Amino acid sequence: MYSSKIIGLGYYVPENVVTNDDLSKIMDTNDEWIQERTGIKERRWIDPKSGDTTAIMGSKAAKIAIERAGLTKDDIDFIIFATLSPDMYFPGGGVLLQDLLDMPTVGALDIRNQCSGFIYGLSVADQFIKTGMYKNVLVVGSENHSGGLDKTTRGRNVSVIFGDGAGAAVLSRCEEKGKGILSTHLHSEGKYAKELTIENPSTNKWIPEFIKENNHDDVSYYPYMNGQFVFKHAVVRFSEVIMEGLMANNLQKDDISLLIPHQANLRISQFIQKKLGLADGKVFNNIMKYGNTTAASVVIALTEAFEEGRIKDNDIVVLAAFGSGFTWGSVVIRW
Ligand code: UT7
């Protein structure tokens, strides 16, 4: 059986920087609250004039990842696209990206696992490569949150947190034994589906109702999050699934060279760091600059960490995420 490894990474974030002070001009919030409760200083929100969309941002990140992998678009055997904010209700972002990059008629799969989307995507790609079915798989996470947030005081507990952006990884067959993706672990708990959700539009509340005037007063079209409930579950599940990954590979906490958690809240990352007893340099955070970019967050952080020289050959890199669904998962990599 083969294994898989990441051979190219890229990310793209919109140019438009939105600071906490900018938000305080449109809703009742302030820099102090946002930084203290989340660690976020600023985020990127698409400037509508830029033309960026979830699929376009994904394609920009993918282009960089493919080039850095030393491949061309024609070498990619399969596309996996994770988002909760697709350009269209259907079809999904995978086929849009395929068209934007003018790729051959390879398969394109869409992943709907929100903050865990990239982790789920890596796991799927890893299985396809392990079995020998595909050699090079492109995994993309991209989000246009700003297009769908309630940017009034009513929505402030959610809207100040989320940012736009995209990241991409190229996974390829690995010939070296004991290297690349060592394990992936995925979980879900659907009984908490409504604790972090956008309920509509849906087949329960279909498009004609969606386009009715005043529908912006219907909060079911905006993200809802039971913040403290999600927070409490996140800190438990993150630690569990990281330990599950380590144990499956006979590794200890000390073996972690770099942990890259989904960037949901700096306090969550700090809690996990403390619980696992990891030194400051062993946990990567960039939520300060980008907010929570959901399916894009882990891969943007992984790309930045790699670009900053924080990941070296043979390092044990652990990726983990938790989010809406609830869904969560981890990936353990020997780089
Ligand atoms: O990525 C997917 C997974 N997501 C997560 O893991 C996120 C988990 N949850 C969280 O990160 C936190 O719960 C939040 C950052 C969302 C909220 O922080 P919190 O410390 O749980 O605040 P809270 O919702 O309990 O609200 C505390 C107070 C409330 O005021 P009162 O009732 O105490 O007077 C809120 O109305 O803070 C108020 N508040 C705000 N104030 C200023 C809520 N949002 C804001 C805001 N600006 N943006």
Side-chain angles (χ1 to χ4, degrees):
M1 195 148 81
Y2 302 103
S3 66
S4 72
K5 67 175 178 184
I6 294 173
I7 61 162
L9 286 164
Y11 77 93
Y12 170 83
V13 288
E15 267 175 42
N16 183 36
V17 176
V18 178
T19 65
N20 295 342
D21 286 336
D22 292 333
L23 294 181
S24 69
K25 289 174 196 140
I26 56 171
M27 64 182 83
D28 181 13
T29 190
N30 56 77
D31 179 52
E32 196 191 347
W33 190 95
I34 300 172
Q35 284 211 47
E36 197 181 299
R37 307 311 295 167
T38 71
I40 300 165
K41 292 178 199 280
E42 58 188 40
R43 74 286 293 138
R44 305 297 177 97
W45 279 0
I46 290 172
D47 176 350
K49 291 192 287 288
S50 72
D52 272 339
T53 69
T54 297
I56 290 174
M57 290 192 296
S59 71
K60 288 177 181 175
K63 232 176 176 169
I64 299 168
I66 293 169
E67 201 181 301
R68 287 182 178 170
L71 301 177
T72 74
K73 62 181 174 61
D74 299 328
D75 298 316
I76 301 296
D77 302 313
F78 194 64
I79 301 161
I80 299 177
F81 196 107
T83 188
L84 67 71
S85 51
D87 291 15
M88 300 178 194
Y89 195 84
F90 72 82
V95 296
L96 302 183
L97 176 133
Q98 183 251 349
D99 181 48
L100 283 163
L101 293 184
D102 191 25
M103 295 169 81
T105 56
V106 295
L109 174 75
D110 293 286
I111 300 243
R112 295 204 44 183
N113 285 77
Q114 297 65 250
C115 303
S116 313
F118 183 71
I119 300 290
Y120 270 71
L122 280 187
S123 183
V124 173
D126 184 44
Q127 311 315 311
F128 275 130
I129 290 171
K130 268 184 184 157
T131 58
M133 181 154 173
Y134 295 128
K135 191 165 176 227
N136 301 311
V137 179
L138 173 68
V139 186
V140 178
S142 182
E143 303 287 0
N144 167 10
H145 284 304
S146 63
L149 295 170
D150 180 355
K151 295 171 186 156
T152 69
T153 299
R154 181 181 61 185
R156 67 182 179 175
N157 66 321
V158 171
S159 53
V160 302
I161 297 172
F162 289 96
D164 302 336
V170 176
L171 262 77
S172 194
R173 188 180 294 169
C174 175
E175 311 286 354
E176 282 175 278
K177 268 225 157 340
K179 279 214 162 180
I181 293 189
L182 302 181
S183 67
T184 62
H185 288 89
L186 308 177
H187 295 278
S188 68
E189 197 167 23
K191 73 176 167 194
Y192 298 129
K194 290 201 170 175
E195 302 299 339
L196 178 44
T197 180
I198 296 183
E199 275 196 61
N200 286 302
S202 70
T203 43
N204 301 320
K205 209 165 193 186
W206 198 233
I207 310 299
E209 235 183 293
F210 180 62
I211 57 173
K212 258 191 220 157
E213 262 186 70
N214 297 325
N215 66 18
H216 53 268
D217 285 334
D218 181 344
V219 289
S220 70
Y221 296 111
Y222 292 121
Y224 164 78
M225 175 162 65
N226 184 350
Q228 291 195 4
F229 188 84
V230 176
F231 191 107
K232 282 178 195 152
H233 282 257
V235 291
V236 173
R237 296 310 193 182
F238 263 114
S239 314
E240 265 178 23
V241 80
I242 291 167
M243 289 312 298
E244 188 180 11
L246 291 177
M247 279 164 66
N249 295 292
N250 290 319
L251 294 168
Q252 312 296 320
K253 294 175 213 168
D254 287 350
D255 294 319
I256 297 177
S257 312
L258 192 65
L259 169 66
I260 303 180
H262 162 54
Q263 302 292 292
N265 186 322
L266 191 59
R267 287 189 292 135
I268 294 178
S269 294
Q270 287 166 342
F271 190 97
I272 306 162
Q273 179 181 345
K274 209 167 156 198
K275 205 160 169 190
L276 299 179
L278 299 175
D280 282 349
K282 288 195 164 192
V283 182
F284 190 84
N285 290 303
N286 63 3
I287 191 169
M288 306 70 91
K289 295 189 289 182
Y290 304 127
N292 179 346
T293 57
T294 308
S297 110
V298 173
V299 59
I300 293 177
L302 177 62
T303 308
E304 280 203 342
F306 186 73
E307 287 176 354
E308 287 173 21
R310 300 273 298 272
I311 302 174
K312 290 172 218 71
D313 198 34
N314 263 317
D315 272 0
I316 294 291
V317 179
V318 178
L319 314 177
F322 174 90
S324 163
F326 294 151
T327 59
W328 63 100
S330 66
V331 178
V332 179
I333 304 168
R334 185 180 293 280
W335 206 265

